[in-house]
Amino acid sequence: MTQISPIPPGFTAVTPHLVCRGAAAAIEFYKNAFGAVECFRLPGPDGRLMHGQITIGGAPVMLVDEFLEHPEQCAVSPQALKGSPVTIHLMVEDVDATMAQAQRAGASVTMPPQNMFWGDRYGQLTDPFGHRWSVATHLEDLTPEQIMANLAALPKRDC
């Protein structure tokens, strides 16, 4: 008898599951913005996606359409909530090129890429579906002590 793995092949222990107002359009956006590969989609009787799955850089991401009539299932998009407290972090080969591509696809850049004290070139954006993304390219390996020293050396700013 074949043993079933508790974590299916291609998955990791943590997988984002995004609720989108227009999940089919979101799949197309993620293809254009981040080079996502569509694995499959399961439309419901009314055409909304009950489940969709893509990979971005080999990492699985699940999607579902917003179902406001079922709030107990947490099927509410960031647009309905007027924003999201969650940021999805994406590591890429070239943060500048990826963010420019995402912006061309319809994302809003909220923080242009810049070299950060922890050793990454890093920026942030919001996709057209209200999901926040941080995007980074790792530039150098630093010890925790080096990171703290870099942080301490930053100019002080008034809030």
Side-chain angles (χ1 to χ4, degrees), residues 3-155:
Q3 181 160 346
I4 302 296
S5 174
I7 299 174
F11 277 83
T12 57
V14 177
T15 301
H17 194 170
L18 307 180
V19 177
C20 298
R21 185 175 290 168
I27 289 171
E28 296 309 312
F29 169 80
Y30 297 132
K31 287 179 183 178
N32 292 325
F34 303 133
V37 175
E38 183 174 344
C39 301
F40 69 92
R41 55 176 88 188
L42 176 63
D46 65 0
R48 290 183 291 179
L49 288 187
M50 295 174 59
H51 184 76
Q53 186 176 326
I54 60 176
T55 60
I56 299 174
V61 176
M62 298 185 298
L63 300 97
V64 64
D65 256 307
E66 178 174 67
F67 287 86
L68 293 175
E69 66 273 26
H70 296 290
E72 73 282 359
Q73 296 176 3
C74 299
V76 180
S77 73
Q79 291 160 318
L81 297 171
K82 309 259 187 283
S84 173
V86 175
T87 300
I88 305 157
H89 189 64
L90 179 62
M91 298 296 299
V92 298
E93 293 286 328
D94 183 339
V95 66
D96 295 276
T98 298
M99 289 192 63
Q101 180 175 323
Q103 189 172 27
R104 284 191 302 275
S108 299
V109 173
T110 56
M111 178 183 168
Q114 55 189 299
N115 292 351
M116 303 304 285
F117 65 90
W118 60 82
D120 289 355
R121 184 156 176 81
Y122 174 93
Q124 295 181 358
L125 55 86
T126 301
D127 71 31
F129 307 92
H131 295 284
R132 295 171 13 157
W133 294 78
S134 57
V135 185
T137 298
H138 188 64
L139 301 178
E140 60 181 323
D141 294 326
L142 299 172
T143 66
E145 295 78 19
Q146 290 171 312
I147 293 170
M148 292 301 294
N150 289 348
L151 177 59
L154 289 176

